[in-house]
Amino acid sequence: MISTDLRYALRGELYKLSSQTVARLLTVATVLGPLLFTLLIRVGNATPGDTPLGTWVHSSGFAPPLVLLAFTASFGFPVSAALLAGDIFAAEDRHDTWKNVLTRAVDRRAVFAAKFLAASLYAIGLLALGAVSALASGVLIVGSQPVIGLSGQLIGAAPAFGLVLAAWALCIPPLLAFVALGVFFSVATRNGIAGVFGPIVLALLMQLLQRIGNAGLGHQLLLLASFDSWHGIFTTPLQGLPLLAILVSLLWTVVPLAGAWWLFSRREFGGAGSSGGSAGWRGLTVMVSSVLAVTAVMVALCYAGSDPITPRKLEAELRPIFNNLTIYQQHELGRTILAGTKLNDSSVCARRGYAQNGQGDDWVCTIDVLTPQADTPTPNFEPVDYDVSIKVNGCFSADGPPSFIGNQTFKTPSGKRVYNPLFEIYGCFNPL
Amino acid sequence: MSVVASPALAVEGLVKAYGANTVLSGVNLTVAPGEVRGLIGPNGAGKTTLLRLIVGLVKPDAGTVVTNAQPVAGIIEEPTFYPYLSARVNLELLDLLDRGAGATRIDAALESVGLAARADDRVGGFSSGMRQRLGIAAALIRRPRLLLLDEPTSALDPEGVAATVALVRRLADEDGVATLIASHQIDMLETLVDSTSRLADGRIVDQH
């Protein structure tokens, strides 16, 4: 009977959720936000170069939805999940309606599952709405030109269309995990404010933790890192299905849900501490202690193992990206370079600071770049220094000297002004 | 051979404590089909806890609760609803938790408690008395065989009290609904109940 019970309970939960002002405001923001974002990018001259595909927002309509995705993933998704799920159980405590809900025909299992599913479905619906709105805004306002991937490769309009949607879809597993965290805090604290702030505080802490420690497996176990798994489908060779990110998301979903169910199934609805001021303090205490416990585990994970971002790794990753972008630049200039041509000889990367490995903005990579010489038959390689900033997720930006690579934009033979792909190189690789 | 009808509700040896505070210490109680039993006792005697135990919101430390009459519906303490939704939607949501069994009874239930004209108003704007009447409507849409009422008339005006008494009496007499009604309003109970149990110090001390 669980399926019938669940169906009825889910209908009720979805109705309650969609009747709430916060859910309606989220829906409006999800539809209009991408449109406004793309319009502002189009009107302004800003280029978010420190974001994946940010340098291409004026060149291809497929870039703005991914820039937006990168921004949304770090804060927007956790906040929307927290707003939808953090109050879904606590609201029954606030309105004192558990005695209505739990004395009807459907049992606690169905009520629990319906609440989690309702918040999850609403969150996924918002994500889908955001993806469609962002993609439509990008294509309609900027255009459906090919886009440059995170390995510097050219991606045609048709595959880019599918990849953008796939990138948003890959954020569903970690989004559901944040919903599960919201459910846990909602059940454990019985307080809507603590239920909403619990997942948000955890997301902020994860952002902070992404700036410390090494880039090993520990960082990949931070839930926020799973939102970056779409980078893998914009690199070449294709990194395949991000199984680790999905497994991490699953872990972050199952553990809070199991904890929430353990508490909910044993809860008595009546008697001391079930409501009133004591519930507020209880909620705050539970939220703070849970966050502290999870943070302690995360900090330990961030320092576990050795750092996989080494000079050798960066050198190996930077060279083909530079090669791809140079071919694209020459193509834009009307010159033809045969595919597979080796345009740089070697690269040497090192950090200026104390550390030798890991994330940071003090990397310098020297690339021996092939420069055409009309009067000599032998190839001439010139060393070019790039200032590289690399993050824990394996994404880096590299700024070259304008004296060698030219200005931010240049004119094509047809007179069209385009972005210089070598002005600021942005790429991503799997740090593991 | 005599045939004895099963009681609609049978409570036996019920014990419940919150920490060191023992609220119920061996409560025995039965309600027969069609019987309206009053439950009286001073504040803190454990009347509401007993009702919560009967509907399963609280688990007993010892003893058993057998509800042969199904479904069970009622009002536990002050009726509460989602204030941002209308009276009708609140009832529809509750009915979904009964698998939609009472969808066709919602209008009639609202009519029977005198809230038909306010059915589409948000409950947040309702008075205590209106919420109490809505609570009775919420119980009625289940078409209960066992009705549990916790101070159902405390916020009602005299007309509301009379209407509620008439409604409960009619359900018992015509439909055989068993009712356990906890109240401090002795006058109201005297006009309504068939029997009374007095709860004090966690036990039923008087039953007639």
Side-chain angles (χ1 to χ4, degrees):
Chain A
M1 288 300 285
I2 183 71
S3 61
T4 308
D5 283 0
L6 184 56
R7 192 157 44 88
Y8 279 109
L10 183 57
R11 268 176 61 191
E13 291 303 327
L14 281 172
Y15 186 91
K16 279 190 270 180
L17 202 52
S18 58
S19 303
Q20 289 174 7
T21 307
V22 67
R24 290 177 175 173
L25 287 174
L26 276 174
T27 308
V28 171
T30 303
V31 173
L32 295 181
L35 180 68
L36 288 173
F37 176 79
T38 314
L39 277 172
L40 286 173
I41 278 181
R42 191 64 172 164
V43 172
N45 288 321
T47 303
D50 57 348
T51 311
L53 287 94
T55 48
W56 306 105
V57 290
H58 299 289
S59 317
S60 168
F62 298 110
L66 294 167
V67 172
L68 186 67
L69 179 62
F71 285 137
T72 309
S74 57
F75 199 67
F77 287 146
V79 168
S80 67
L83 287 171
L84 292 171
D87 193 38
I88 200 160
F89 283 80
E92 307 287 358
D93 286 289
R94 191 169 58 255
H95 299 310
D96 191 20
T97 40
W98 281 122
K99 63 191 180 195
N100 301 341
V101 173
L102 296 176
T103 54
R104 313 304 278 201
V106 302
D107 64 9
R108 282 194 195 195
R109 283 176 306 167
V111 170
F112 182 86
K115 283 185 178 291
F116 171 64
L117 278 178
S120 298
L121 288 174
Y122 210 99
I124 291 172
L126 287 181
L127 181 142
L129 210 56
V132 171
S133 174
L135 189 54
S137 301
V139 169
L140 291 173
I141 295 170
V142 182
S144 59
Q145 305 87 339
V147 69
I148 302 297
L150 294 173
S151 296
Q153 80 281 25
L154 191 66
I155 303 172
F161 188 88
L163 284 174
V164 169
L165 291 179
W168 280 74
L170 282 172
C171 291
I172 290 175
L175 176 67
L176 292 185
F178 270 105
V179 170
L181 283 169
V183 164
F184 172 77
F185 281 107
S186 193
V187 171
T189 65
R190 305 178 194 176
N191 179 303
I193 296 170
V196 168
F197 274 93
I200 294 174
V201 169
L202 271 182
L204 289 172
L205 281 169
M206 285 183 210
Q207 284 196 30
L208 196 66
L209 292 174
Q210 282 184 323
R211 300 177 187 281
I212 64 163
N214 64 54
L217 185 64
H219 264 111
Q220 302 298 315
L221 296 177
L222 297 182
L223 180 56
L224 221 50
S226 297
F227 280 121
D228 292 337
S229 70
W230 64 269
H231 296 169
I233 62 171
F234 277 86
T235 57
T236 181
L238 198 67
Q239 287 173 14
L241 195 66
L243 282 176
L244 179 62
I246 292 171
L247 282 174
V248 167
S249 302
L250 197 62
L251 184 75
W252 279 92
T253 306
V254 169
V255 173
L257 272 189
W261 171 247
W262 190 85
L263 293 170
F264 184 67
S265 62
R266 281 158 181 76
R267 182 177 168 189
E268 295 202 333
F269 293 87
S274 63
S275 61
S278 63
W281 281 110
R282 180 183 178 283
L284 193 65
T285 309
V286 171
M287 189 197 87
V288 171
S289 52
S290 303
V291 166
L292 285 177
V294 174
T295 305
V297 174
M298 291 193 300
V299 169
L301 286 171
C302 287
Y303 283 97
S306 59
D307 202 311
I309 299 178
T310 59
R312 197 170 296 268
K313 177 102 177 169
L314 188 55
E315 288 156 12
E317 297 290 346
L318 190 58
R319 261 201 319 270
I321 295 174
F322 187 88
N323 213 63
N324 287 339
L325 290 173
T326 308
I327 292 171
Y328 177 68
Q329 182 201 48
Q330 296 303 305
H331 172 77
E332 288 284 82
L333 288 167
R335 300 168 189 156
T336 304
I337 296 176
L338 292 176
T341 305
K342 194 179 172 190
L343 298 167
N344 54 78
D345 186 46
S346 64
S347 58
V348 176
C349 295
R351 294 187 73 170
R352 290 195 190 96
Y354 161 74
Q356 291 182 327
N357 302 325
Q359 62 173 323
D361 54 6
D362 57 349
W363 284 87
V364 177
C365 290
T366 306
I367 303 175
D368 289 331
V369 181
L370 178 69
T371 51
Q373 301 288 323
D375 50 346
T376 59
T378 53
N380 179 53
F381 288 94
E382 188 174 333
V384 179
D385 285 344
Y386 272 84
D387 290 325
V388 179
S389 171
I390 185 161
K391 292 179 183 168
V392 75
N393 61 0
C395 288
F396 64 87
S397 60
D399 297 310
S403 57
F404 181 78
I405 57 173
N407 293 323
Q408 189 175 22
T409 58
F410 59 79
K411 273 190 176 175
T412 63
S414 62
K416 186 182 166 192
R417 185 155 288 280
V418 296
Y419 183 79
N420 180 358
L422 295 178
F423 184 78
E424 183 177 18
I425 297 172
Y426 197 97
C428 290
F429 60 87
N430 185 350
L432 294 182
Chain B
M1 190 174 78
S2 64
V3 177
V4 180
S6 303
L9 169 69
V11 172
E12 220 173 286
L14 215 53
V15 176
K16 182 65 192 177
Y18 293 111
N21 179 27
T22 301
V23 183
L24 299 176
S25 50
V27 170
N28 298 304
L29 182 83
T30 58
V31 183
E35 178 188 4
V36 179
R37 176 172 287 274
L39 182 65
I40 57 174
N43 287 335
K47 301 187 293 294
T48 300
T49 300
L50 176 59
L51 297 181
R52 285 182 179 273
L53 281 158
I54 293 169
V55 295
L57 287 170
V58 177
K59 294 178 185 108
D61 297 329
T64 57
V65 174
V66 177
T67 50
N68 294 309
Q70 294 283 350
V72 180
I75 299 174
I76 310 290
E77 292 182 307
E78 188 188 347
T80 47
F81 297 93
Y82 305 114
Y84 55 95
L85 298 174
S86 71
R88 187 193 305 281
V89 169
N90 265 288
L91 295 190
E92 285 171 351
L93 288 174
L94 286 175
D95 184 54
L96 281 175
L97 295 173
D98 281 328
R99 307 183 190 110
T104 56
R105 293 193 285 272
I106 289 174
D107 285 335
L110 286 166
E111 183 76 47
S112 70
V113 297
L115 285 176
R118 305 290 301 271
D120 296 318
D121 291 356
R122 287 186 179 197
V123 176
F126 279 17
S127 66
S128 300
M130 291 167 75
R131 282 202 298 274
Q132 211 148 33
R133 283 188 276 159
L134 188 58
I136 294 170
L140 291 180
I141 60 170
R142 289 201 85 182
R143 194 172 280 177
R145 305 303 302 162
L146 173 60
L147 194 56
L148 305 171
L149 300 172
D150 188 5
E151 302 287 357
T153 56
S154 59
L156 297 182
D157 52 27
E159 290 79 15
V161 173
T164 304
V165 166
L167 180 66
V168 172
R169 196 65 257 175
R170 183 172 57 77
L171 289 170
D173 295 343
E174 296 178 11
D175 300 334
V177 175
T179 304
L180 179 63
I181 178 167
S183 179
H184 287 111
Q185 293 179 298
I186 304 298
D187 292 348
M188 180 273 291
L189 286 179
E190 281 176 351
T191 62
L192 173 63
V193 301
D194 303 309
S195 54
T196 304
S197 298
R198 178 184 293 276
L199 192 61
D201 297 327
R203 289 178 180 277
I204 300 291
V205 293
D206 183 25
Q207 206 150 208
H208 59 269

